[in-house]
Amino acid sequence: MRLKVLELLKQFEKLSFTTDVWSEPSANVSLLSLTAHGITNKYERISIILKCEQLEGRHTGEIIANNLHNILKDWNLSAESVHCILRDRGSNMIKAMNMAHFTDANCTIHQLQLCVRSAMESEEFLLPVIAKCKKIATHFNHSLIAQNELKHIQIERLNQSELSILQECSTRWNSTYYMMSRILKLKDSLVLYSGMHAIPILTADEWLDLKKCITVLMPFEEITKELSSATATIASVIPLIYTLKNTLETEKNKEDTSDNFNLMITKMIQDINVRFQDIQNNKLYTIATYLDPRYKLKFFTEITKEQVQSEILEILGCSKTSHDEGSSSPKIARNELATTSSSHQSHIQSCLAEILSISDEEEHNIDCADNVYNQFIVKKDITN
């Protein structure tokens, strides 16, 4: 197997990596993982778990950097083969990347989860609602009899499908959202159950707050799923963050949004702006987004467009004056790729699709951008 993996790794001129450190309390160990991601000459995406090893002692940046270098060495990979390493925002991880001189990037999902956690913990009006939801979940999680009785109410009295209460888990992304969503879905069953048993139950206003909170958190959960997909790329980060803020602004301006939620959403948008303030200046994100035919130029300012175009042409060894007027425009192909099926789309995907729908202004932007894309075609033809 090792020989097969070594042979497979030879296909890649550059590789991107994901790495993480986590603890397993039941075994009393800490683990460090490193997974390689590459694209073959046949444009096939490959992911290979290179190692998951025990991390002993303190998890300092120096120790993590040394371990990562050793893993790469074990697989005959040089530091020059590293295009980028994706990591969380732990200070030890950031220090490890700096010490190892790796190009790195923050995990977008981790950033968004920190934003959600901050909002949930800082809004006092939501704390009683969350506390009651946790107590309800704990009650059913600790009693098989209670679970069976709740199922009996769903099936026999309400003629509903059988569903269980979900327990929150602090180490699982969106687990609070899933717990609250399930409790809201089982509202009628829980109200009937509370008439026979002493469990904390939400007031009428708290049920409304719970419903609104779920609506606000839904795009975060959908983006987490979108970026957790095996087909996700870094090109989607800028468009999805843009769409998230746009969705939150829309929710904020709705008539049924109370002052409390208005303030909460405002804080969330501000937090997102702070956490992603440098993303438009990061070439890893901007070049990937620019070259993705789904996204085009919609998410860039004029200055950023010029910068990205120059960076791409520099990579290709072209200059802006080398435009070939005879080159055919790739606009049609890009438009075709931008059109996706609307079936099974999440709300955030639908919002993104609406933003990406071709307008007269976008058509003009695409025409202006053809210069760069045509130069890309010319360069590709020459190199081929």
Side-chain angles (χ1 to χ4, degrees):
M1 178 59 72
R2 175 176 172 80
L3 291 174
K4 288 182 179 179
V5 173
L6 284 169
E7 195 62 31
L8 189 60
L9 291 172
K10 291 179 181 178
Q11 300 182 55
F12 307 108
E13 181 180 346
K14 290 283 186 179
L15 286 163
S16 292
F17 298 85
T18 47
T19 187
D20 195 15
V21 175
W22 73 98
S23 299
E24 176 49 61
S26 62
N28 195 30
V29 297
S30 294
L31 302 169
L32 170 68
S33 70
L34 184 67
T35 303
H37 309 271
I39 301 175
T40 68
N41 291 332
K42 295 180 180 179
Y43 293 94
E44 296 173 336
R45 293 178 57 153
I46 302 290
S47 294
I48 310 164
I49 300 174
L50 298 181
K51 197 162 190 178
C52 181
E53 65 179 7
Q54 186 172 343
L55 192 62
E56 298 179 347
R58 297 177 61 201
H59 304 168
T60 65
E62 184 177 3
I63 289 174
I64 294 172
N66 288 336
N67 282 39
L68 293 177
H69 270 303
N70 289 336
I71 295 173
L72 292 176
K73 186 177 179 181
D74 287 343
W75 291 103
N76 298 336
L77 295 172
S78 65
E80 289 71 30
S81 66
V82 178
H83 172 63
C84 173
I85 296 185
L86 194 69
R87 43 116 187 110
D88 63 29
R89 281 199 69 181
S91 58
N92 56 345
M93 274 294 187
I94 295 174
K95 185 177 180 180
M97 298 303 130
N98 290 333
M99 294 183 69
H101 304 293
F102 290 140
T103 300
D104 59 324
N106 291 320
C107 173
T108 300
I109 302 174
H110 186 233
Q111 294 276 77
L112 292 177
Q113 294 299 317
L114 291 175
C115 176
V116 170
R117 185 183 302 174
S118 175
M120 300 291 281
E121 293 176 353
S122 64
E123 300 303 324
E124 292 187 5
F125 79 98
L126 274 180
L127 296 181
V129 177
I130 298 172
K132 283 186 178 181
C133 288
K134 289 181 178 180
K135 288 180 180 179
I136 291 171
T138 300
H139 172 80
F140 288 100
N141 188 56
H142 290 173
S143 173
L144 186 59
I145 295 175
Q147 293 176 30
N148 291 333
E149 191 165 343
L150 185 65
K151 291 176 182 178
H152 177 79
I153 292 173
Q154 295 175 64
I155 297 169
E156 300 297 331
R157 298 183 62 178
L158 298 176
N159 194 29
Q160 296 177 345
S161 300
E162 177 185 311
L163 291 173
S164 300
I165 298 290
L166 300 177
Q167 185 87 7
E168 181 197 44
C169 177
S170 59
T171 59
R172 297 286 182 182
W173 285 334
N174 299 312
S175 66
T176 304
Y177 168 84
Y178 293 134
M179 175 187 69
M180 294 192 302
S181 297
R182 182 57 58 87
I183 286 175
L184 181 63
K185 196 166 188 176
L186 294 176
K187 175 183 175 181
D188 294 340
S189 300
L190 289 170
V191 170
L192 289 174
Y193 182 91
S194 67
M196 301 177 287
H197 303 277
I199 64 165
I201 198 70
L202 279 67
T203 65
D205 287 341
E206 287 173 338
W207 281 115
L208 291 175
D209 284 344
L210 179 65
K211 183 178 181 180
K212 188 67 174 180
C213 184
I214 292 168
T215 301
V216 172
L217 296 181
M218 184 175 65
F220 288 90
E221 188 271 342
E222 291 179 344
I223 289 177
T224 299
K225 281 187 174 180
E226 183 82 11
L227 293 178
S228 297
S229 166
T231 59
T233 74
I234 202 170
S236 296
V237 173
I238 290 176
L240 285 174
I241 296 301
Y242 179 98
T243 306
L244 173 62
K245 292 193 291 185
N246 188 65
T247 303
L248 290 174
E249 286 285 358
T250 301
E251 194 64 39
K252 174 184 170 182
N253 295 324
K254 287 184 177 179
E255 291 183 2
D256 67 342
T257 301
S258 66
D259 291 341
N260 283 331
F261 276 106
N262 191 298
L263 182 59
M264 174 182 167
I265 294 172
T266 299
K267 289 180 180 178
M268 293 176 102
I269 294 173
Q270 291 173 348
D271 196 4
I272 292 170
N273 286 334
V274 171
R275 293 184 184 279
F276 295 94
Q277 60 183 334
D278 296 327
I279 200 169
Q280 290 271 358
N281 299 319
N282 190 319
K283 291 192 291 186
L284 289 172
Y285 294 93
T286 54
I287 292 178
T289 304
Y290 188 97
L291 292 178
D292 192 314
R294 295 172 297 176
Y295 304 132
K296 313 185 183 95
L297 308 173
K298 176 67 182 180
F299 306 98
F300 296 128
T301 63
E302 289 302 322
I303 295 176
T304 306
K305 290 174 190 175
E306 288 291 326
Q307 290 174 342
V308 179
Q309 288 172 357
S310 298
E311 287 161 355
I312 293 171
L313 293 175
E314 184 179 344
I315 292 170
L316 295 172
C318 297
S319 65
K320 282 204 142 189
T321 58
S322 64
H323 173 53
D324 184 352
E325 296 293 341
S327 299
S328 59
S329 170
K331 181 168 69 174
I332 296 176
R334 294 173 67 218
N335 289 351
E336 288 174 350
L337 286 169
T339 305
T340 57
S341 172
S342 60
S343 61
H344 307 297
Q345 277 190 338
S346 65
H347 177 67
I348 203 76
Q349 287 173 328
S350 299
C351 292
L352 179 56
E354 185 176 342
I355 292 172
L356 290 172
S357 60
I358 302 298
S359 64
D360 291 340
E361 181 180 354
E362 286 177 304
E363 285 283 0
H364 173 70
N365 287 340
I366 293 171
D367 289 338
C368 292
D370 279 349
N371 181 20
V372 174
Y373 282 94
N374 287 338
Q375 291 177 67
F376 177 82
I377 291 174
V378 171
K379 180 67 178 178
K380 186 174 185 296
D381 288 341
I382 293 172
T383 56
N384 285 347

